[in-house]
Amino acid sequence: MSDTIIAGLLGLLEGLTEFIPVSSTGHILLAGHFLGFNSSGKTFEVLIQLGAILAIVGVYAGRLIHVFASAPHDPAARRFILSVLIAFLPAVIVGVAAHDIIKKVLFETPILIASMLVLGGVILLWVDRLNLPERETDAMHLSPAMAFKIGLFQCLAMIPGVSRSGSTIVGAMLMGVSKRAAAEFSFFLSMPTMAGAFAYDLYKSRDLLNANDIDLIAIGFVAAFISGVFVVRGLLDFVGRHGYAAFGWWRIIVGTAALAFIYVGY
């Protein structure tokens, strides 16, 4: 299978998994490992997230424009923007401080990634079955203090296989946010988080990229954008009706299969 086809498949996988709590990075790294795909400094895996970023920005463009247009005279809009930025702050600090360890050690450890998929699946199933009180049902009305705590949970996703959306959703639900609102706040938080990761990794890896890398990244980017749009449009309704159990079981199945393949030396 050519690198071009693999890049397209990995881009589709990125868009399909970025916003659901299954760890897009974990899936892409494991898929790349088993398909024999290697990018310079694991930059492809981070930079194709731009496609997913633009997917969610496109779907939420109307609401985002309204929020920023209202901010000068609407305290609620300003509070929402502040909450998202405060939730984003812990990831900035941890991501910059641990960037090299994350890319050079954690990204290169398939057994860790697969194990985190399984462990995260078990935790997701457990939390989904808890009868948690739902004190907050609107993602745009979370307090800055609660947003900051959700941002701390997001830092767990620096370990590939944990899942950025999964850690933020679980953290939010444990603090009384409804399943639907937790997923939607994860959407909003993904915008600055993924854009920041993209920009910082592009800067750090600028000397590693060549023309072939750029072509593959462009293919992955387009595929991630297309698949990401479909997921963002359908996820909230699915979660509202079915919860997160399906994603928990998916994580366990994929992680267990990956561990089995690693064990037999595939």
Side-chain angles (χ1 to χ4, degrees):
M1 191 181 297
S2 71
D3 281 352
T4 300
I5 295 175
I6 293 175
L9 292 174
L10 293 180
L12 287 173
L13 189 60
E14 159 65 26
L16 290 172
T17 58
E18 178 59 52
F19 303 109
I20 62 178
V22 299
S23 180
S24 62
T25 302
H27 276 67
I28 292 171
L29 290 173
L30 287 175
H33 170 76
F34 291 120
L35 291 172
F37 179 82
N38 293 297
S39 66
S40 303
K42 296 296 182 186
T43 299
F44 172 90
E45 290 80 354
V46 175
L47 297 188
I48 63 170
Q49 292 181 348
L50 179 62
I53 298 170
L54 294 182
I56 196 165
V57 169
V59 172
Y60 277 86
R63 192 182 300 189
L64 292 172
I65 292 171
H66 174 74
V67 167
F68 283 102
S70 302
H73 54 80
D74 184 354
R78 292 196 298 271
R79 185 187 187 212
F80 167 70
I81 294 171
L82 177 63
S83 292
V84 173
L85 292 177
I86 287 175
F88 167 55
L89 184 60
V92 175
I93 298 171
V94 175
V96 171
H99 178 271
D100 290 344
I101 294 175
I102 294 168
K103 291 294 292 296
K104 296 178 181 178
V105 179
L106 301 184
F107 271 36
E108 302 287 351
T109 314
I111 193 168
L112 170 67
I113 299 168
S115 299
M116 290 299 101
L117 282 174
V118 174
L119 177 60
V122 172
I123 293 173
L124 193 59
L125 286 174
W126 171 65
V127 173
D128 189 62
R129 292 175 181 178
L130 293 176
N131 187 25
L132 296 169
E134 295 185 350
R135 295 185 295 273
E136 300 287 347
T137 58
D138 190 334
M140 300 188 72
H141 290 159
L142 301 186
S143 70
M146 178 175 286
F148 178 73
K149 294 174 185 176
I150 294 173
L152 292 177
F153 273 93
Q154 180 175 240
C155 292
L156 296 173
M158 301 297 173
I159 304 172
V162 169
S163 171
R164 185 205 59 77
S165 59
S167 58
T168 56
I169 287 169
V170 166
M173 288 171 58
L174 289 174
M175 289 184 285
V177 181
S178 70
K179 293 177 180 179
R180 184 185 179 95
E184 191 164 34
F185 188 77
S186 177
F187 284 174
F188 291 125
L189 182 53
S190 73
M191 297 181 203
T193 301
M194 293 164 61
F198 172 87
Y200 188 68
D201 201 76
L202 182 62
Y203 168 75
K204 294 283 286 186
S205 305
R206 64 192 184 282
D207 296 330
L208 299 175
L209 296 175
N210 56 49
N212 185 58
D213 291 329
I214 294 173
D215 289 342
L216 294 178
I217 289 168
I219 292 168
F221 157 80
V222 173
F225 173 80
I226 294 171
S227 56
V229 168
F230 285 101
V231 172
V232 172
R233 286 179 172 172
L235 181 62
L236 294 182
D237 288 339
F238 179 88
V239 167
R241 292 194 303 269
H242 305 292
Y244 294 100
F247 304 121
W249 285 115
W250 175 259
R251 291 178 63 110
I252 292 171
I253 292 169
V254 171
T256 301
L259 287 171
F261 278 118
I262 294 169
Y263 178 76
V264 300
Y266 182 81

